[in-house]
Amino acid sequence: MAEFSARDRLRLLAGGSAMFLAGCGGSNPPVNSGSLLGSGDGSGTGTGTGTGTGTGTGTGTNTGGSTSPAALTTGLLRDHYRNNFQIGTALSNQRIAANDLSAQIAADQFGSITPEWELKPEVIQPTPGVFNFSEADRVVDWALANGQTVRGHALVWHESTPDHFLQGSREDIRLRLEDYVSTVVDYFRGRVAVWDVVNEVTSADVYRGSDGVGPDRQEDWFNAVGNADYIDWAFRAARAADPNALLFISEYDTETQLKRDWLIQILRRLSARGVPVDGVGHQFHFFIDTDPAQALAAIDAVDNEFLGLINHATEIDVSFYRDPGTCWQTGTNCLADLGPNAPADMLAQQAQLMRSFFDGMVLRSSVESVSFWGVRDSDSWLNTSPVERFNFPLLFDRDGEPKSAFHAITDPNYVI
Ligand code: 9MR
């Protein structure tokens, strides 16, 4: 859906205080941002210890090799929240293939894996009627071999919808979608525990300076079907294919009032129709100055509907740049690159944000899983979106060392 991805990049209000998720286009594997930001691949100049087998002279990145990060207590992060919720991360085959630090840390510290790209329709069914599970099998089986839970992401996402999904009549589209969802969910039955059945189906009009067109995203799927019934079809097909899988609706920016109001309207409608929704995935792509209370308010808003829904945080990261809208729209007026070394005060701000957020999440019993969108800073899509630039969104630095944010959420005595 090239046309759609481009249009969808224009979602930010002028002045841009709200978040927009551009994605990285409809057909790209996860961006190995580390390799874009440094020439090294392996031992580099990082502070990691161990026996690196990589080569090169990285500028603070360490994208490959088998260098180990400083010793961390095995499972420290995962176990710290054992009585509250699962801790997860996105991971892609690129990381596994290199046997790099991110894969090692993911296996060691996280209990849940979300394939970052491999379970998207553009990967599984780029060609009508032909299913290709090879990419997906690799990361799913890797996670299962590590005893981890797999979050399946995502069965329906406008940014990853091959054109053929939307061709023909409404009935053609329904049958094709049901066949796709049934086949994929059945294939992974017993292996994928949770599905993001639909992703980002709430209206994005708030980012275009209009607040009158919600709650549904009235774009490609909606236009082809004539309304938002495709959401119902996808959930019902998923439930029928695997009654034991948890089925989620996933959305970004639920920490903003209008977006979450629209999402709640959709949830009410689905509930009234008996559509089998088990939970809400809040992506939580934060900025360095995001108020964590707003994220917690999103959890509370779902709880306050008394629909019995589970909450997951699904794609946590913290961008160090709050750009004006023009940066996302046209790549202009973006904040200057901070360079390879994160400012100490911003690292502390990130740590405080994460601590406040986690302190609130543990108090909310409907939260059953909390996932980051990558392991090391160099893994993140935010190094290339909206422009190529060093970003520091995650819990581990480019060398695989735990950052202040990691200590802040695993050690109550850690002084930020
Ligand atoms: O981080 C993902 C990036 O590597 C992929 O190229 C891109 C397109 O498949 O998707 C990114 O992940 C997105 C996620 O699937 C949905 N929410 C927004 C994420 C960042 O764009």
Side-chain angles (χ1 to χ4, degrees):
M1 303 307 297
E3 177 208 335
F4 206 71
S5 290
R7 186 152 37 102
D8 217 7
R9 288 197 174 86
L10 306 178
R11 296 193 245 177
L12 207 69
L13 283 169
S17 60
M19 178 64 183
F20 162 56
L21 303 174
C24 294
S27 58
N28 298 321
V31 174
N32 183 349
S33 49
S35 63
L36 291 172
L37 293 173
S39 57
D41 181 34
S43 57
T45 57
T47 56
T49 57
T51 53
T53 56
T55 58
T57 54
T59 55
T61 61
N62 190 339
T63 58
S66 56
T67 308
S68 299
L72 269 182
T73 304
T74 300
L76 174 61
L77 175 62
R78 184 184 58 219
D79 292 345
H80 189 77
Y81 292 98
R82 187 179 38 215
N83 296 326
N84 304 107
F85 36 70
Q86 276 205 316
I87 295 283
T89 181
L91 198 75
S92 71
N93 283 337
Q94 286 186 336
R95 301 264 73 90
I96 296 168
N99 185 29
D100 74 1
L101 292 176
S102 294
Q104 294 172 19
I105 297 168
D108 187 55
Q109 295 292 323
F110 294 85
S112 171
I113 295 292
T114 305
E116 189 170 352
W117 180 68
E118 291 79 359
L119 283 168
K120 292 173 179 171
E122 67 184 288
V123 184
I124 290 180
Q125 199 184 51
T127 309
V130 181
F131 289 85
N132 184 344
F133 294 115
S134 56
E135 295 278 359
D137 277 334
R138 184 131 179 265
V139 60
V140 168
D141 289 343
W142 182 90
L144 294 175
N146 290 319
Q148 294 163 309
T149 298
V150 178
R151 289 195 90 266
H153 173 84
L155 293 167
V156 177
W157 183 31
H158 64 283
E159 290 223 19
S160 182
T161 298
D163 289 334
H164 69 85
F165 274 71
L166 300 178
Q167 282 161 6
S169 68
R170 171 182 160 96
E171 188 63 4
D172 293 336
I173 295 169
R174 183 177 70 79
L175 292 172
R176 193 182 297 116
L177 176 62
E178 289 174 349
D179 176 60
Y180 178 78
V181 170
S182 304
T183 304
V184 173
V185 174
D186 181 59
Y187 182 83
F188 288 105
R189 186 145 47 129
R191 292 198 286 162
V192 170
V194 185
W195 283 102
D196 287 334
V197 177
V198 296
N199 185 40
E200 304 177 4
V201 295
T202 306
S203 173
D205 290 301
V206 59
Y207 308 107
R208 303 190 185 106
S210 158
D211 61 1
V213 193
D216 295 294
R217 177 185 287 275
Q218 296 189 25
E219 296 171 2
D220 54 358
W221 275 98
F222 187 101
N223 292 336
V225 168
N227 57 29
D229 285 355
Y230 67 97
I231 300 174
D232 304 32
W233 301 337
F235 273 99
R236 292 190 198 285
R239 179 65 97 226
D242 184 357
N244 294 319
L246 293 175
L247 306 182
F248 274 64
I249 182 169
S250 168
E251 192 51 75
Y252 66 93
D253 258 358
T254 57
E255 59 273 30
T256 62
Q257 183 76 48
L258 183 57
K259 196 71 182 289
R260 75 168 161 261
D261 286 352
W262 281 345
L263 176 60
I264 295 287
Q265 286 181 47
I266 293 174
L267 291 172
R268 285 180 189 153
R269 183 183 73 217
L270 297 177
S271 172
R273 293 179 181 175
V275 176
V277 181
D278 295 309
V280 176
H282 305 261
Q283 294 185 6
F284 288 156
H285 292 282
F286 296 141
F287 293 99
I288 193 76
D289 60 352
T290 292
D291 178 0
Q294 289 306 312
L296 300 172
I299 304 294
D300 294 340
V302 173
D303 288 347
N304 290 341
E305 290 298 308
F306 299 104
L307 295 172
L309 294 170
I310 303 164
N311 283 293
H312 284 186
T314 56
E315 302 184 16
I316 298 172
D317 47 31
V318 181
S319 177
F320 277 36
Y321 304 89
R322 190 185 277 280
D323 296 298
T326 54
C327 177
W328 290 93
Q329 290 158 359
T330 59
T332 54
N333 301 317
C334 300
L335 297 183
D337 191 344
L338 291 166
N341 300 311
D345 60 333
M346 296 181 86
L347 289 169
Q349 201 177 351
Q350 178 184 38
Q352 190 56 58
L353 165 56
M354 279 295 105
R355 177 175 275 173
S356 302
F357 172 68
F358 271 80
D359 283 352
M361 292 293 267
V362 298
L363 299 175
R364 287 161 169 80
S365 59
S366 64
V367 178
E368 296 190 358
S369 176
V370 174
S371 292
F372 291 83
W373 206 237
V375 176
R376 287 183 292 159
D377 285 339
S378 48
D379 297 342
S380 175
W381 67 294
L382 290 169
N383 291 292
T384 49
S385 292
V387 289
E388 192 171 319
R389 207 168 39 181
F390 283 91
N391 213 329
F392 309 91
L394 299 169
L395 295 180
F396 294 86
D397 71 15
R398 287 172 163 74
D399 297 318
E401 298 294 335
K403 296 162 60 182
S404 293
F406 179 90
H407 298 303
I409 63 171
T410 52
D411 179 2
N413 298 318
Y414 176 78
V415 179
I416 295 171

